[in-house]
């Protein structure tokens, strides 16, 4: 790795594409003749308006976002959306949630503060190692939306087939898989993603929401919590996270330059395969998720004991592979291999783990 950088397997904030970081570096002191850094720039300036407009357009191009969807850049991370979604989308006060891991659980807890939550399916019985069958759920007619977390960052579980919502609006938390593969936006009423997993710096969420879901009858709701506020103001009701918008815009352009989401998806499949093939062959390490629901982004695995897990984490860190400790709720290890993790990083880690296994097996 150039610059003495490490292969960073963190679940987030995570690696950025190196060419993007280099471009940002080159523009740091004087952004394209503006005489200032983007950090120092008024969000009302022409220069910044162009940055945000291009970021939105490039994202629309990448994902093929239909014209009747708004793209919003909102602060408060993905977490604020756990509250904003029920506050804005519960018209009848009722929503269906699918519980597949730690992040959908958090969303459920917040939604319960706002209205009735029906957990129509859950994989809690097997510690969130699969996605339940959602082809024929019991969904009341007056349900406002069906909510999923499309990739559970902590449990490493991903949806391969969207739930049958029986005509109801689908809302998806794509934080840890955003832009990792092509996405048919019109299958959803709303998609959102905290950007620090797969796209940019922390502190911002991208919301893609169908226009008819943006309400103007929510005048009692604090103004900042209404999607309408952000939609009407072009994501600049107040000072936005200009820096994150700028960096995300660069990543969108980078993804376009490599050929878009289909190319990214192929690379992600190849990358994850290196890791999963190793886990399947290993006698020391075991993947925790049922094969058909394995995430391409977050790969949790364990050894036979907590002590050995800790030993492996320490050894990987010493060797320059950072942040492999699993989340405390799952234990073991977790390799997050988002878009910007190069295949060489995964190959190097696998070589290291193979060697570790050989040296620790009698
Ligand atoms: C990280 C994460 C969140 C929370 O993101 P913040 O930006 O820290 O609020 C929510 N959902 C998923 C799936 C995540 O991975």
């Amino acid at each position: 790795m150039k610059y003495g950088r490490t292969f960073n397997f963190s679940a987030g904030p995570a690696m950025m594409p190196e060419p993007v970081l280099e471009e940002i570096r080159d523009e740091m002191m004087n952004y394209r003749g503006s005489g200032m850094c983007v950090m120092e720039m008024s969000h009302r300036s022409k220069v910044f308006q162009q940055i945000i407009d291009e970021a939105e357009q490039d994202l629309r191009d990448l994902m093929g976002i239909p014209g009747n969807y708004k793209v919003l850049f909102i602060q408060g991370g993905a977490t604020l959306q756990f509250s904003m979604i029920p506050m804005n989308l519960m018209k009848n006060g009722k929503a269906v949630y699918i519980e597949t891991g730690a992040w959908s659980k958090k969303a459920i807890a917040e939604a319960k503060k706002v209205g009735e939550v029906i957990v129509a399916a859950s994989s809690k019985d097997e510690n969130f190692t699969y996605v339940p069958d959602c082809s024929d759920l019991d969904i009341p007619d007056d349900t406002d939306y069906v909510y999923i977390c499309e990739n559970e960052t902590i449990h490493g579980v991903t949806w391969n087939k969207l739930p049958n919502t029986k005509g109801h609006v689908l809302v998806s938390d794509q934080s840890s898989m955003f832009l990792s593969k092509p996405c048919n936006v019109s299958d959803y009423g709303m998609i959102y993603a905290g950007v620090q997993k797969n796209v940019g710096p922390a502190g911002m969420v991208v919301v893609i929401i169908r226009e008819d879901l943006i309400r103007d009858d929510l005048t009692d709701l604090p103004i900042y919590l209404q999607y309408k506020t952000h939609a009407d103001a072009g994501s600049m009701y107040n000072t936005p996270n200009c820096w994150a918008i700028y960096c995300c815009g660069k990543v969108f352009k980078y993804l376009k330059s490599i050929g878009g989401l289909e190319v990214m998806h192929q690379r992600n499949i190849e990358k994850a395969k290196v890791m999963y093939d190793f886990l399947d062959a290993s006698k020391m390490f075991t993947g925790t998720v049922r094969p058909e629901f394995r995430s391409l982004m977050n790969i949790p695995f364990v050894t036979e004991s907590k002590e050995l897990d800790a030993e492996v984490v320490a050894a990987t860190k010493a060797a320059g592979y950072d942040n492999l400790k699993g989340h405390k709720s799952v234990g073991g290890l977790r390799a997050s291999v988002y878009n910007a993790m190069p295949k060489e990083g995964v190959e190097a880690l696998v070589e290291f783990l193979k060697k570790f296994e050989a040296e620790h097996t009698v």
Side-chain angles (χ1 to χ4, degrees), residues 287-355:
T288 54
V289 174
R290 271 201 227 160
E292 65 265 44
F293 304 108
R294 286 169 163 177
S295 167
L296 294 181
M297 302 279 101
N298 310 99
I299 307 179
F301 57 105
V302 293
T303 68
E304 64 187 17
S305 74
K306 286 195 167 64
E307 294 69 32
L308 189 54
D309 288 345
E311 207 181 312
V312 182
V313 171
T316 50
K317 188 165 176 63
Y321 310 104
D322 219 343
N323 290 311
L324 280 154
K325 192 172 187 303
H327 190 271
K328 55 185 185 297
S329 60
V330 179
L333 295 95
R334 172 177 47 165
S336 293
V337 293
Y338 295 121
N339 283 356
M341 169 62 69
K343 190 174 177 203
E344 302 80 67
V346 186
E347 287 167 343
L349 173 67
V350 163
E351 277 318 302
F352 181 85
L353 293 175
K354 272 186 187 159
K355 199 159 141 266

Side-chain angles (χ1 to χ4, degrees), residues 131-143:
V131 172
D133 177 8
C134 293
S135 57
D136 188 18
L137 298 171
D138 219 347
I139 302 175
D141 286 345
D142 60 347
T143 299

Side-chain angles (χ1 to χ4, degrees), residues 76-80 82 103 149 151 153 173 175-176 194 196-197 204:
T79 299
L80 183 60
F82 298 162
W103 289 111
C149 174
N151 185 78
T153 321
D173 178 355
S175 295
S176 51
Q196 76 277 23
K197 308 291 163 67
M204 191 175 80

Side-chain angles (χ1 to χ4, degrees), residues 3 10 15-16 47 49 90 108 124-125 247 259 270 311:
Y3 311 107
S10 169
M15 289 180 84
M16 297 273 286
V47 189
Q49 190 63 53
M90 275 190 183
I108 288 166
K124 200 175 172 177
D125 58 342
C247 296
E270 282 171 31
E311 207 181 312

